């Protein structure tokens, strides 16, 4: 696995960037929960995307939706 040069990322390693990204997503999901906004999730057992509502309801997304 090739790593980015530290100088091009302000001295932040790949591992540190990954940790910061994961934490940013966690914080964003907490904000969405507090606001009552659904969170997009993925069920690896069924290979399906779904929206998780604040009341715990899972709303699976149909694969053939036209936008």
């Amino acid at each position: 696995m090739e790593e980015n040069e530290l100088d091009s990322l302000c001295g932040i390693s790949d591992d540190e960037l990954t940790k910061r990204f994961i934490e940013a997503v966690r914080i964003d999901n907490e904000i969405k929960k507090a606001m009552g906004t659904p969170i997009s999730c993925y069920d690896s057992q069924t290979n399906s995307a779904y929206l998780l509502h604040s009341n715990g309801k899972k709303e699976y997304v149909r694969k053939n939706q036209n936008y």
Side-chain angles (χ1 to χ4, degrees), residues 7-40:
D7 289 340
S8 65
L9 298 171
C10 302
I12 300 172
S13 68
D14 287 342
D15 290 340
E16 181 63 23
L17 272 175
T18 300
K19 289 176 188 176
R20 289 182 185 199
F21 177 78
I22 291 169
E23 184 64 10
V25 171
R26 187 193 66 75
I27 291 169
D28 189 51
N29 285 342
E30 290 296 323
I31 292 169
K32 286 180 180 179
K33 284 180 189 177
M35 294 177 62
T37 305
I39 299 170
S40 58

Side-chain angles (χ1 to χ4, degrees), residues 38-39 50-60:
I39 299 170
Y50 64 92
L51 295 174
L52 180 61
H53 295 270
S54 58
N55 63 1
K57 176 185 166 196
K58 289 182 180 180
E59 180 183 349
Y60 283 87

